Each structure stands twice: as structure tokens, then as C-alpha cells.
């Protein structure tokens, strides 16, 4: 009873704190940057991390097994993974370029776990025989950490593509020939010559804007590669440990189960991404496109297979709460 009450408090506390953090982030985007608000959001993510950590420890003690036995617990662990990635990136990078990705991802996963799943999924149950192994912590935790890192890295690649796409459109719209065509077509050559003088006065401003976008895309590309590389390492460890566990539980290292198949597809996609990063001709937009495809593949592997409820991993299936 005590553990259930504590778990209930920690669940709503962490969700409330991270909701406030999202509100602060939106305020910072809409209003001029306020240092106090940014510091509050960072403190809020730290508080969220400790709240979710306490929630996982509480479930661990009450259920007497590592809390990764169903989809609800895995979503909570995934939210915890987003928060720890946020803290690590804050330590390595004081600007914390990942904050716009990690905070919304954490609230999305935890919000879905809290309100999107049936109440039966929230209850901790006895482990099925296949999960009663010391490999549970190793395999599932590595897979979820890899999902969190790969999702963050993929979203950074999506942001890189969006900014690059808009930048190319801006360059095209500001090109000399395009302006001549538009101005001469609508206003005539005389009015365009007057407008042309004012455009040249703002050349330094436009150059500064392009330089800022260039620096932003470089940071996004850099952090995307770093985070995806970390996630790819976790994914490789998770698949290898899962193969060893499968041999112990089912007598075979690989069974081409739907979950295993999509995990292999996910690994292949990000292996291709890693390969594109080694080739100067494929870096940048091409590698970001591969990572964007990987974003969809991860959700199919993690979430889509659970919707079907088939295969050897069917114990991870779930039902949504009725509207």
C-alpha cells in the first residue's frame, strides 16, 4: 500500500514538473529569452529525472524485479532515458542543443504511459517464464536507451533538413534574377531600381542571418551524429545480449520473430547512416535523410509490433484506454 501510494505520487509529480518545463520552453520561444526561465527549465528537468528514478526504484522494490516487464514500465524507462540524455548533453554542452528535443519527448512518452494505456497495464504483474532471467535488465535497458538516443538524434536530423530546406528557399528567393523577375513583373523597372538600393543596405544583415543558420545546421548535424552513434552502440549491445538471452529461453540465437526482424532493420538503417558519415559526398543532407527514415523504423520496431501482439514478444502487447 505504501509503495502504491508513493508510486502514484511520483508518477503525477514527475508528469507535473515536466509539463511546467514544456510551458517554460514555449514561453522562451514566444518571448525574448529570459535567463531565469531557462535556469528554471534546467532545474525542472533535473527534478523530473529524480522523480522518474524514484518511480522506477519504487516499482523495482515493490515488484521484486527490474521494472521492464510490460509496455507501461518500458515507456516510463524511455522517459527516464530522455531525461538522462538531457542531463548528459547539458554537462557536455552548456547551451544544451538537445533540450528542445529531450523535454517534449519525455513528456510525450510519460503522458502516453499515464493516460494512453489501460489501467491493467499500470499494474505490476508476475514475470512470464521467458522474462525470468538476469538478461532482462541488460537487454531491455540497452534497447530502450538506444531507442531514446536514436530518436533524439533522428529528430535533430529532421530539424537539420527543415532548416536547410528553408535556407535554400530563402537563398533562391533572395537571388538577383528572381528579384528582377518579380519586381519588373509587378512594379516595373523604375520602382525596382529604388527597391534594389534598399536591399543592398541590408546585405550585412542577410549575411549575418545566413551565417547564423549555417552555424545552427552545423551544430544540429554534429549532435545528431554524436547521439545516433551512442544509440547505435546501445542498439548493438542490446541485440547481441538479446540473442544470448533467446538462446537460453528458446534454444536459438535468432528466430526471425517480428520484433527481432524490425530490430535488425533498425540496426541496418543506422549502420547505413554511420557509413554515409564516413563519405564526404553523402554527409549532411543524405545522412540526415537516412536518419529521418530511421525515426519511423524505430517507432515501428518499438511501438508498432506491440499493436499487433504477435510473435515471441507478444507479452509486450497492449490495449489503449477507451475514449
Amino acid at each position: 500500500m505504501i509503495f502504491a501510494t508513493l508510486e502514484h505520487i511520483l508518477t503525477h509529480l514527475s508528469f507535473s514538473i515536466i509539463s511546467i518545463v514544456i510551458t517554460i520552453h514555449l514561453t522562451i520561444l514566444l518571448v525574448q529569452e529570459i535567463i531565469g526561465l531557462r535556469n528554471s527549465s534546467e532545474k525542472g528537468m533535473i527534478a523530473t529525472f529524480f522523480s522518474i528514478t524514484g518511480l522506477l526504484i519504487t516499482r523495482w522494490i515493490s515488484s521484486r524485479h527490474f521494472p521492464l516487464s510490460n509496455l507501461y514500465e518500458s515507456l516510463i524507462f524511455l522517459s527516464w532515458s530522455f531525461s538522462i540524455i538531457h542531463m548528459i548533453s547539458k554537462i557536455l554542452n552548456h547551451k544544451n542543443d538537445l533540450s528542445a528535443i529531450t523535454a517534449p519527448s519525455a513528456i510525450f512518452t510519460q503522458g502516453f504511459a499515464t493516460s494512453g494505456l489501460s489501467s491493467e497495464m499500470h499494474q505490476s504483474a508476475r514475470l512470464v517464464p521467458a522474462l525470468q532471467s538476469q538478461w532482462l535488465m541488460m537487454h531491455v535497458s540497452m534497447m530502450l536507451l538506444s531507442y531514446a538516443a536514436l530518436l533524439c538524434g533522428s529528430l535533430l536530423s529532421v530539424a537539420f533538413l527543415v532548416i536547410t530546406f528553408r535556407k535554400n528557399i530563402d537563398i533562391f528567393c533572395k537571388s538577383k534574377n528572381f528579384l528582377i523577375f518579380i519586381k519588373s513583373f509587378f512594379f516595373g523597372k523604375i520602382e525596382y531600381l529604388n527597391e534594389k538600393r534598399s536591399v543592398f543596405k541590408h546585405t550585412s544583415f542577410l549575411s549575418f542571418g545566413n551565417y547564423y543558420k549555417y552555424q545552427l545546421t552545423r551544430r544540429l548535424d554534429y549532435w545528431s551524429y554524436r547521439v545516433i552513434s551512442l544509440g547505435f552502440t546501445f542498439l548493438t549491445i542490446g541485440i547481441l545480449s538479446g540473442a544470448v538471452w533467446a538462446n537460453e529461453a528458446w534454444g536459438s540465437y535468432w528466430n526471425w520473430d517480428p520484433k527481432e526482424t524490425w530490430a535488425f532493420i533498425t540496426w541496418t538503417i543506422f549502420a547505413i547512416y554511420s557509413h554515409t558519415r564516413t563519405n564526404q559526398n553523402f554527409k549532411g543532407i543524405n545522412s540526415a535523410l537516412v536518419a529521418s527514415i530511421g525515426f519511423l523504423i524505430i517507432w515501428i520496431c518499438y511501438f508498432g509490433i506491440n499493436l499487433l501482439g504477435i510473435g515471441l514478444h507478444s507479452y509486450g502487447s497492449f490495449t489503449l484506454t477507451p475514449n
Side-chain angles (χ1 to χ4, degrees), residues 254-303:
W254 197 265
N255 299 280
W256 291 108
D257 178 71
K259 198 81 167 181
E260 295 176 351
T261 303
W262 280 99
F264 176 73
I265 294 173
T266 304
W267 187 90
T268 303
I269 290 294
F270 286 101
I272 294 173
Y273 170 85
S274 299
H275 178 70
T276 59
R277 298 292 305 192
T278 62
N279 191 326
Q280 292 294 332
N281 296 326
F282 293 102
K283 288 179 63 175
I285 295 178
N286 293 316
S287 59
L289 286 172
V290 176
S292 301
I293 296 173
F295 177 80
L296 299 176
I297 299 298
I298 294 170
W299 281 115
I300 295 175
C301 179
Y302 172 63
F303 192 74

Side-chain angles (χ1 to χ4, degrees), residues 3 38 87 182 191 200 213 225 247-248 254 290-291:
F3 287 112
R38 180 168 292 276
M87 294 182 65
I182 294 297
E191 292 185 12
F200 281 115
K213 290 182 180 180
Y225 174 64
N247 185 57
E248 290 186 0
W254 197 265
V290 176

Side-chain angles (χ1 to χ4, degrees), residues 46-237:
I46 295 174
T48 301
F49 169 75
F50 284 109
S51 297
I52 301 177
T53 302
L55 172 61
L56 292 173
I57 293 175
T58 301
R59 287 187 71 94
W60 193 351
I61 296 174
S62 61
S63 63
R64 298 181 181 178
H65 61 75
F66 195 68
L68 287 174
S69 59
N70 56 29
L71 186 64
Y72 170 75
E73 293 176 346
S74 71
L75 283 169
I76 295 298
F77 190 89
L78 185 64
S79 181
W80 178 83
S81 301
F82 284 126
S83 63
I84 196 172
I85 291 174
H86 176 93
M87 294 182 65
I88 292 175
S89 63
K90 176 62 178 177
I91 295 173
L92 298 178
N93 176 30
H94 295 293
K95 292 182 179 179
N96 202 356
D97 296 324
L98 298 182
S99 61
I101 301 294
T102 52
S105 299
I107 192 173
F108 171 78
T109 52
Q110 188 170 1
F112 180 77
T114 303
S115 59
L117 300 178
S118 61
S119 57
E120 290 79 7
M121 290 291 295
H122 294 192
Q123 305 300 321
S124 180
R126 182 181 177 85
L127 291 177
V128 298
L131 295 178
Q132 295 176 7
S133 171
Q134 68 274 15
W135 289 102
L136 172 66
M137 182 187 301
M138 178 68 176
H139 169 64
V140 185
S141 62
M142 286 294 102
M143 294 299 293
L144 290 175
L145 282 170
S146 71
Y147 292 158
L150 293 174
L151 286 171
C152 287
S154 299
L155 285 174
L156 289 173
S157 293
V158 172
F160 171 84
L161 288 175
V162 171
I163 294 174
T164 303
F165 180 72
R166 290 188 61 183
K167 178 182 176 182
N168 292 335
I169 290 180
D170 291 341
I171 292 175
F172 174 75
C173 292
K174 292 170 184 175
S175 63
K176 181 178 179 180
N177 294 331
F178 186 80
L179 283 175
I180 291 175
F181 174 78
I182 294 297
K183 294 296 182 179
S184 61
F185 183 81
F186 289 102
F187 304 104
K189 292 183 179 180
I190 297 177
E191 292 185 12
Y192 169 66
L193 291 175
N194 295 329
E195 185 71 19
K196 184 178 179 182
R197 295 189 186 95
S198 63
V199 170
F200 281 115
K201 292 179 181 179
H202 297 85
T203 300
S204 59
F205 172 77
L206 296 175
S207 299
F208 175 78
N210 291 332
Y211 177 76
Y212 174 77
K213 290 182 180 180
Y214 173 74
Q215 292 295 325
L216 179 59
T217 53
R218 281 181 64 101
R219 291 204 310 271
L220 289 173
D221 188 53
Y222 170 79
W223 279 106
S224 175
Y225 174 64
R226 293 286 296 272
V227 176
I228 288 179
S229 298
L230 178 64
F232 184 72
T233 303
F234 286 148
L235 181 63
T236 303
I237 297 173

